[in-house]
Amino acid sequence: MHQSLRWQRDASTLSLFGELDRDTLLALWQQRDTLIDKIEIIDVSALARVDSAGLALLVHLREIARAQGVTPRFSGISDKLQSLITLYNLQQIIVSAEKTA
């Protein structure tokens, strides 16, 4: 059973909660342009699960933000998500805020 995907925007941080996968990402995808505006940190610490479609969305969110002049970093990357990032060779794109701080 899938958890829903929720998010909260607080100043320059976008926090994601629940599961980010092909079954839950549509609502976030539909609001992506306004949600990512001026976001510096994307907090993924409360995500219970991320699949390859969810990872693709994270990459896309980063690219939207870069087009707006900000390169967001990611906080709270779990070991499972880090494994997926490494599997797809995205370490230079999905950059942890903890490693750059």
Side-chain angles (χ1 to χ4, degrees):
M1 183 167 130
H2 285 283
Q3 293 182 18
S4 63
L5 175 65
R6 299 179 331 278
W7 54 86
Q8 176 180 332
R9 186 184 162 132
D10 182 27
S12 62
T13 300
L14 176 64
S15 300
L16 303 176
F17 307 89
E19 293 187 1
L20 180 58
D21 63 23
R22 67 182 183 95
D23 296 323
T24 64
L25 59 73
L26 182 59
L28 180 61
W29 172 259
Q30 291 171 336
Q31 297 182 41
R32 67 193 178 277
D33 291 320
T34 54
L35 281 176
I36 202 67
D37 187 40
K38 296 182 180 66
I39 291 296
E40 296 175 9
I41 300 289
I42 299 173
D43 183 357
V44 295
S45 63
L47 287 175
R49 180 174 178 277
V50 179
D51 71 0
S52 57
L55 181 60
L57 180 58
L58 292 177
V59 170
H60 191 75
L61 291 175
R62 178 188 178 271
E63 292 309 306
I64 292 170
R66 282 177 40 107
Q68 296 172 349
V70 179
T71 302
R73 292 162 303 164
F74 294 80
S75 68
I77 296 174
S78 69
D79 290 341
K80 287 183 179 181
L81 179 53
Q82 187 60 56
S83 294
L84 194 59
I85 291 166
T86 302
L87 178 67
Y88 285 98
N89 197 24
L90 295 171
Q91 302 92 318
Q92 302 301 315
I93 295 172
I94 304 292
V95 177
S96 171
E98 289 84 7
K99 291 182 181 177
T100 60

